[in-house]
Amino acid sequence: MIHLGLDLGGTKTEIIALSSGGAELLRFRRPTPAGDYAGILRLMAELVGHALTQTAASEYTLGVG
């Protein structure tokens, strides 16, 4: 199992994937689409999908801040 953390900010949105032991597996960031709610939701889904694809995770937890 991996643990995903999604940091939604005003200028950037970043995802991190951690192993169950806390080791960083992946970190990726993209600009946050300003004033575009649907775009923000798409970006969040894309980042989670990217992390799952890159880590080949089948089980995960997700925290959003």
Side-chain angles (χ1 to χ4, degrees):
M1 174 174 304
I2 66 166
H3 305 287
L4 301 177
L6 190 63
D7 175 20
L8 175 60
T11 58
K12 60 96 182 153
T13 300
E14 184 170 14
I15 193 157
I16 187 168
L18 303 173
S19 71
S20 57
E24 183 177 315
L25 303 173
L26 169 132
R27 183 182 294 253
F28 188 72
R29 78 169 52 170
R30 299 256 316 267
T32 301
D36 183 2
Y37 181 73
I40 291 169
L41 294 178
R42 275 192 304 277
L43 175 60
M44 292 171 69
E46 288 171 11
L47 290 175
V48 169
H50 176 73
L52 294 176
T53 299
Q54 294 299 309
T55 61
S58 59
E59 293 185 4
Y60 65 96
T61 61
L62 173 65
V64 179

